[in-house]
Amino acid sequence: MNILLVDDQQSVVDGLINNLNFNKIGIEKVFSAASARQARKIMETRQIDILLCDIEMPEENGLSLNQWVVENYPSTVRILLTSHAEFSYAQQSIKLGCFDYIIQPAPYDEIEESLKKAVLKIQRESSINTFYDYGKLYLFNELENLDRIIYNLYSSHQSNVTEAVLYLNKVGYPLQQDSQIQLIMVDIYPFHKQDAGYLSNHSIKKSLINALHESKLPEDVYTLITLNRYKMFVIMLFSNTDMLNRITEDFYRKFYLKISADISEQTACYVGRRSAFAALHDEAVYIHSFVDDNVMEKAELFFCEQEAGDELPLKLTHQIDRWEKMLRAGYKNIVMSEILKYIDLTADSGTANFRNLCILHQSLTQIFFRYLYESNLEIESVFTEEYGYSEYMDAFKSVSALKKAVSFMTKAMEGAPKQLPGENDIEIAKTYIITNINKNITVKEVADQIHRSPEYFTKLFKKATGMNVKDYITRKKHEIAIDLLKNSSLPVSMVALEIGYTNFSHFTQIFKSIEGITPTAYRQKNTNS
């Protein structure tokens, strides 16, 4: 932000330059002029955000200069200085729409305070214009690009964060490393589950912004909203003052009641801790741990400070061994009934949290997939359009989803033979690759699963499949990417993350080498939207 000081007395200009802390105020460059004529030349060649101008000057006075600025640079905030407290001057300054009118000699802290208010005015107007520009971007289907800019703030890669901050600073958001931030995560279940005919991403964002303002969000608090990879809305409140500390629990309760009424009663809202922006990534991980623990999908307002859940009610290892033996003996319906009862017991005992459901899901997946491979059934052939691989792999996120997964998998195994051949190293490797497809899998990691050296395993795998291990991993990632691009509304950048590509450019390059077009072009070509 730049300021132009105009006064025919050099001592006044020097005093302002030497005694005002422009950097603290948020002003980067200071220009000066001794006359209106010099000021015009500077404004014609420089971006001037604030004009601090004397009224009494030879040749042309400050009021005349202000009139010219109004006509040619209406966005410039103008403050007048005068040594004469004349009513006519004050009256003319009001007509010209001047931001402030200061009588000299004025204390430097008074002038500094006026400049601080001028900077805040410019930042607020810039934010309003930014929202307007964002609206135009929405109209031209650019939501995905905008989301990625804000989404990159949460990246663990500092280069992505720096790039996003620079962009946001340019469009009027004064985000800094020491800005105070607070996250609010909003999970709207009908939207999350993609219920047919539900509100659009853009409509929900507008309702969230409206709810924040109606709940009386302080003026010095800025808002950035994005949709994360789990289809939840993440609101980042930030301020360069202490205004976040003045927000009470009553504000969050009003906000939650408003979005419940305007968007959906089936909404969970999680309020995180206050911290510095530099800790944003850690705060996002922290608050998401509480989202994950809401496996009963309660629609409530949560303040993220509760203790972690208890252990599982029964020894799981013993149960898994028993269920696997029963599967091998052909008692699939009994196994399904027992597992569903075990999940209900976990929920009733209050130990159904994210950690415990993850452990249970992983354990069940091992016995289900091992059974299918030993039965010579390809994993891909088990899943359908109505219930796909991705939905099964995400089933640890709620009690209802896990019960649905168990019912599906036990029924899918009905056609498998009772007599099972021995375990196959290659099939175990394939299982590991599929269940870890969202990671950057290495050949060594896969070889470790069957206790072989990477060199020996590579030869074994090539002989059995006719493909290199790396090529097989790439192919599987590509197949899932194709499915997500065709059948989901996830932004392309999030599709890349889902299959283990943290570098979006690398994902695009690999995809284009296989399909001949970019992922975005592929989605446009293969969807009706």
Side-chain angles (χ1 to χ4, degrees), residues 395-408:
F396 59 86
K397 294 182 179 178
S398 72
V399 167
S400 60
L402 185 57
K403 292 176 72 172
K404 181 179 179 180
V406 170
S407 298
F408 176 84

Side-chain angles (χ1 to χ4, degrees), residues 498-523:
E498 288 287 343
I499 56 174
Y501 289 99
T502 55
N503 186 313
F504 180 75
S505 298
H506 182 54
F507 166 62
T508 301
Q509 182 182 2
I510 295 295
F511 189 97
K512 190 174 181 180
S513 70
I514 298 173
E515 294 294 332
I517 55 176
T518 65
T520 301
Y522 182 89
R523 167 171 280 174

